[in-house]
Amino acid sequence: MLRVRDFRRFFIGYTTSLLGSAMASVALAFAVLGTGGSGTELGWVLAARIVPLVLTLLVGGVVGDRVGSRPVMLAADAVRCLTQLGLVAVLLDGAPELWALVALVALWGVAEALFTPALGALVPHTVPAGLLADANAVLVLARSAASVAGPALAGPLTAVAGAPAVLALDAASYAVGLATLPLLPRTARTAAAAPSFLRELREGWAEFTARTWLWVTTVHVCCFNLFVWAPFLVLGPVVADARFGGAAAWGLVMALYGGGAVAGGLALLGRRPRRPLLTGTVATLGWAFPAGALAAGGSLPWICAAALLAGVGTAVCNTLYTTAVQHTVPADRLARVDAFGSFGAFALGPVGLAAAGPAAALLGTSAVLGFGAAWQVAAVLVVVALPSVRTGPPRPPRPAPAPRPGDGREPSAPRSP
């Protein structure tokens, strides 16, 4: 994949910023707590990033299709670079005001909402059509590796150099994206006399709802985030603290989840399942295992093994779903459709995070986690029963034969007009 020039350029900038963001999240949490903030204040800061992201995703989809992915991503990286520098300045003051942290992190979330749909629309322009599935697998692999390496690096760096230094590194990582994005091809965009914002939003909604498999799998992922993943993220550390000694055990569980996602991404390279949607949906059964293992009172090795399987399922599902969307949605509406998918998938995640604790206090931790595991199994059975998911779009085309050594040609992606 990295032999393809445009994808290589994009990959360098994107993975650098991924690593920086994974480090920044850890550093910011320790910065809030280290300057006297409480758990409640940390919750406000974390929510300040997620809520604006979800609320402005649909705007990001329309802007990405209207303006083009590349300029939108450049603007988003510039804003994210400046917000991180702003956080550095606020934290160096020694006694940061909560409102200042919340405002800067909210701006960070808005920029991510612009970047995310544009990213989904840009990738097909960086590789030939036959390599799109492999490109998505490589990107999933990169995200998974960053989710493991970022926190692992951020901990000691924050302890030695302080949170502002780590956030400054994140700002520098966005600067790498600013240097590489101008080298990429232009993407399709709407005509100069663009229709109204609401009309463009309706067009994106029509494309999204026209494909039963797309909105059904989005609802599936939305319910997963509400009933399975959010309770797992909130209650998992509670169980780890009570039964396994605390943060070190939970860090091992999450590291193995990331390692499973890396393995899943590697396993998909060069492979084209005959029924990609069916394969991706069946792979989501892995999401039930970690919550189920915790609910059943499993030992730490069993929970780690379950997290590993869930990570593999995540990589397979994300890669195959993303590739199906990119192959079937018109390029000039892809950012809007991606935005509707992301909005639907994550809209109820904050509700799940807020409700997990009270639900566990009322019903018990095992009951909440067990319900999530059972829900996931039942949901997969329902989704795979739908004809549009069992058959789904055809599998991606095979890549064209590579040029023979010595012919002087380098693979490159087709460029849009």
Side-chain angles (χ1 to χ4, degrees):
M1 286 305 307
L2 296 182
R3 293 186 301 113
V4 182
R5 181 189 57 206
D6 289 333
F7 183 79
R8 181 173 64 246
R9 290 169 173 170
F10 165 70
F11 184 81
I12 291 170
Y14 180 58
T15 54
T16 302
S17 64
L18 276 177
L19 182 61
S21 295
M23 295 170 60
S25 298
V26 175
L28 182 61
F30 280 103
V32 173
L33 297 175
T35 53
S38 65
T40 299
E41 289 174 325
L42 177 58
W44 277 100
V45 172
L46 295 179
R49 182 183 180 187
I50 297 172
V51 173
L53 193 159
V54 171
L55 293 178
T56 53
L57 267 171
L58 299 181
V59 176
V62 172
V63 173
D65 280 335
R66 177 178 289 190
V67 179
S69 293
R70 190 177 64 174
V72 171
M73 293 167 73
L74 280 167
D77 272 350
V79 171
R80 293 192 292 182
C81 180
L82 291 174
T83 59
Q84 300 310 89
L85 291 175
L87 287 170
V88 171
V90 169
L91 291 173
L92 285 176
D93 184 51
E97 296 286 345
L98 179 61
W99 68 265
L101 294 175
V102 167
L104 287 167
V105 172
L107 188 58
W108 186 12
V110 170
E112 288 191 338
L114 293 174
F115 186 92
T116 301
L119 167 66
L122 176 71
V123 174
H125 293 270
T126 64
V127 293
L131 291 176
L132 186 54
D134 284 348
N136 286 316
V138 168
L139 293 178
V140 169
L141 191 155
R143 294 184 196 110
S144 304
S147 71
V148 176
L153 291 171
L157 281 175
T158 302
V160 173
V166 177
L167 292 169
L169 286 175
D170 189 30
S173 76
Y174 290 126
V176 175
L178 288 170
T180 56
L181 282 171
L183 304 176
L184 300 181
R186 291 188 178 92
T187 57
R189 58 182 179 180
T190 55
S196 69
F197 175 87
L198 289 178
R199 179 179 171 184
E200 289 186 272
L201 206 57
R202 287 195 298 268
E203 288 175 352
W205 176 250
E207 288 287 345
F208 177 77
T209 55
R211 296 161 177 82
T212 302
W213 60 266
L214 179 53
W215 67 259
V216 166
T217 54
T218 300
V219 171
H220 176 205
V221 176
C222 179
C223 292
F224 155 73
N225 280 318
L226 174 64
F227 294 126
V228 187
W229 192 239
F232 177 72
L233 291 179
V234 173
L235 303 177
V238 175
V239 175
D241 188 55
R243 292 175 46 202
F244 305 126
W250 185 244
L252 178 62
V253 171
M254 296 309 293
L256 284 170
Y257 174 80
V262 171
L266 288 172
L268 278 178
L269 289 176
R271 289 177 172 82
R272 306 290 188 274
R274 184 176 298 276
R275 297 182 180 182
L277 289 179
L278 179 62
T279 302
T281 302
V282 171
T284 66
L285 279 172
W287 295 344
F289 294 142
L294 284 172
S299 64
L300 183 59
W302 279 108
I303 295 167
C304 288
L308 185 72
L309 288 173
V312 173
T314 295
V316 173
C317 167
N318 287 348
T319 300
L320 296 180
Y321 282 6
T322 301
T323 304
V325 172
Q326 292 169 343
H327 271 296
T328 57
V329 175
D332 63 342
R333 300 183 179 189
L334 188 53
R336 280 169 284 175
V337 171
D338 187 273
F340 275 110
S342 297
F343 176 83
F346 297 115
L348 296 182
V351 176
L353 292 171
L362 180 64
L363 303 172
T365 297
S366 294
V368 173
L369 292 169
F371 173 81
W375 172 275
Q376 183 59 25
V377 173
V380 170
L381 294 176
V382 171
V383 173
V384 299
L386 299 174
S388 62
V389 173
R390 288 201 309 274
T391 56
R395 60 180 170 180
R398 291 282 178 182
R404 289 176 295 178
D407 68 358
R409 291 184 290 139
E410 179 186 18
S412 61
R415 294 173 180 264
S416 61

